[in-house]
Amino acid sequence: MPLTLPTGQKIVVATHNPGKARELAAILENRFELVTAGELGLPEPDETETTFVGNALIKARAAADASGLVALADDSGLSVTALGGAPGVHSARWAGPTKDFALAMRKVEERLEATEGEDLSAWFTCALAVAWPQGPAVVVEGRLDGTLVFPARGTRGFGYDPIFLPQGRRETFGEMDPAEKDAMSHRALAFEKLKAALL
Amino acid sequence: MPLTLPTGQKIVVATHNPGKARELAAILENRFELVTAGELGLPEPDETETTFVGNALIKARAAADASGLVALADDSGLSVTALGGAPGVHSARWAGPTKDFALAMRKVEERLEATEGEDLSAWFTCALAVAWPQGPAVVVEGRLDGTLVFPARGTRGFGYDPIFLPQGRRETFGEMDPAEKDAMSHRALAFEKLKAALL
């Protein structure tokens, strides 16, 4: 079994979020036939690992083995240097059950103030995993460094985007044109690596 | 970067155990130029994940990024159905700092007795990860089902081998000829998958 993804390959995207599936479809240039884990009624596995690639792998593995299809999963988040990498794999959890990222961003600001340090550096990570049913899996990771800004700026993007200023840029991800963000983001970097490896 | 391992490729084996490196060299048919993480003085990362592939990935990733070489790591263990998969990724830990597997096997027996159940089924898992420096990684997993036997039988092999009777066999891994074990083991199954994926 060669580790490649031929054009037209049917792929299950291990997300129950239709928006994320659409975003992935756009990035994959409509090269594949995509179906989501939600559409197939697959269960959502627990994300028990301490790393982004570990959790992406759990999701891709579960979807591939349950569906018999090649599966793609992502896991991403914000890591803050002065917080020892937090929120990291708990980035979504910090927003609580209502996915309140205004709350999550305040939490980051408060914890940073508690450190009384000067280091505002942070990075976004996106891990991608592709798993073959009962077979191997390939994982890649994209990382984008930046600086946190308070107060938050901009209403575009999602998650922690309004407090993240990518290195060398004037606009936060919350202010930036979506196409510009999509071209430089941690997700784009991860997909570049995945394409180089598998396409 | 194609996901293949050309003959003669220099590979760092992410183990500080010379015996394990020799075992891996034999399995890899001396096809590659192997060096160990111990020989290179690389630090041993914490194995923080809940899955075998997750921990293999942590070890391979750390060795690849620290050395600039392609890295191979394994993680393996025994899972007991009636114990909910324990000891699992904690298989080595159950043997304590002195690596006392007689102790670990007694612990399995005691916990099984406490369940008062009839289910003696168990399986060995071997996960392998190959990571490219700052690049992708490939993971595979081999699984071998069997039955636990008490008291332990045989003095060959290592770890939990003397209490593990592979499905359809008369001898435990502790009694079996090493070459016979090596041909059918969870490690062999994982390497078959890895070869199919990368060679």
Side-chain angles (χ1 to χ4, degrees):
Chain A
M1 170 187 342
L3 290 180
T4 56
L5 291 176
T7 302
Q9 169 90 51
K10 188 167 181 179
I11 296 179
V12 54
V13 178
T15 176
H16 287 65
N17 179 339
K20 194 183 258 188
R22 271 195 303 275
E23 186 184 319
L24 292 175
I27 290 174
L28 293 172
E29 296 166 6
N30 300 308
R31 195 190 295 248
F32 305 108
E33 187 188 337
L34 298 187
V35 59
T36 69
E39 286 165 355
L40 296 179
L42 305 179
E44 289 185 81
D46 289 335
E47 300 175 25
T48 51
E49 303 291 65
T50 65
T51 61
F52 295 105
V53 287
N55 284 325
L57 197 50
I58 281 183
K59 289 184 270 190
R61 168 60 48 221
D65 291 347
S67 68
L69 299 171
V70 176
L72 169 70
D74 85 328
D75 197 55
S76 50
L78 176 74
S79 300
V80 180
T81 306
L83 302 182
V89 293
H90 299 128
S91 290
R93 233 166 292 173
W94 278 32
T98 60
K99 301 187 180 174
D100 181 353
F101 279 95
L103 170 77
M105 289 188 283
R106 273 201 308 277
K107 205 161 155 184
V108 170
E109 188 176 10
E110 284 164 13
R111 299 240 182 144
L112 263 178
E113 282 168 358
T115 69
E116 294 178 17
E118 300 289 318
D119 187 356
L120 291 173
S121 64
W123 67 96
F124 270 131
T125 301
C126 173
L128 295 171
V130 175
W132 281 259
Q134 321 298 336
V138 172
V139 297
V140 296
E141 204 169 76
R143 172 182 167 147
L144 183 69
D145 287 291
T147 302
L148 298 180
V149 296
F150 302 100
R153 286 165 27 192
T155 55
R156 288 166 151 174
F158 57 88
Y160 299 89
D161 281 355
I163 57 170
F164 187 81
L165 182 70
Q167 207 162 35
R169 297 292 174 135
R170 276 187 304 119
E171 293 183 317
T172 69
F173 268 173
E175 297 170 305
M176 199 177 281
D177 179 76
E180 195 181 340
K181 177 196 162 189
D182 289 351
M184 68 172 295
S185 73
H186 47 302
R187 187 161 284 114
L189 294 168
F191 268 99
E192 281 310 307
K193 286 192 183 179
L194 195 68
K195 284 181 184 174
L198 292 183
L199 299 187
Chain B
M1 170 188 344
L3 291 180
T4 57
L5 291 175
T7 302
Q9 170 90 51
K10 188 166 180 179
I11 296 178
V12 54
V13 178
T15 176
H16 287 66
N17 179 339
K20 194 184 260 188
R22 271 194 302 275
E23 187 184 317
L24 292 175
I27 291 175
L28 293 171
E29 296 165 6
N30 301 308
R31 194 190 295 248
F32 305 108
E33 186 189 337
L34 299 186
V35 59
T36 69
E39 287 165 354
L40 295 179
L42 304 179
E44 288 186 82
D46 289 336
E47 301 176 23
T48 52
E49 303 292 67
T50 65
T51 61
F52 295 106
V53 287
N55 284 325
L57 196 50
I58 281 182
K59 289 184 270 189
R61 167 60 48 218
D65 291 347
S67 69
L69 299 170
V70 175
L72 168 70
D74 85 328
D75 198 54
S76 52
L78 176 75
S79 299
V80 180
T81 306
L83 302 183
V89 292
H90 299 129
S91 290
R93 235 166 291 175
W94 279 31
T98 60
K99 300 188 179 173
D100 181 352
F101 279 95
L103 168 78
M105 290 189 282
R106 273 202 307 277
K107 206 161 156 185
V108 170
E109 186 175 12
E110 284 165 12
R111 299 240 182 143
L112 264 177
E113 282 168 358
T115 69
E116 294 177 20
E118 300 289 318
D119 188 356
L120 292 173
S121 65
W123 68 94
F124 270 131
T125 301
C126 173
L128 295 171
V130 175
W132 281 260
Q134 320 299 335
V138 172
V139 298
V140 296
E141 203 168 78
R143 173 182 165 147
L144 184 70
D145 287 293
T147 303
L148 297 180
V149 297
F150 302 100
R153 286 164 28 192
T155 55
R156 288 167 152 174
F158 57 89
Y160 298 88
D161 281 355
I163 58 170
F164 187 79
L165 183 69
Q167 207 161 35
R169 297 293 174 133
R170 277 188 302 117
E171 293 182 317
T172 69
F173 269 172
E175 296 169 307
M176 200 177 280
D177 180 76
E180 196 180 341
K181 178 198 161 189
D182 289 350
M184 69 172 296
S185 74
H186 47 303
R187 187 160 282 115
L189 293 168
F191 268 98
E192 281 310 307
K193 287 192 182 180
L194 194 68
K195 283 181 184 174
L198 292 183
L199 298 188

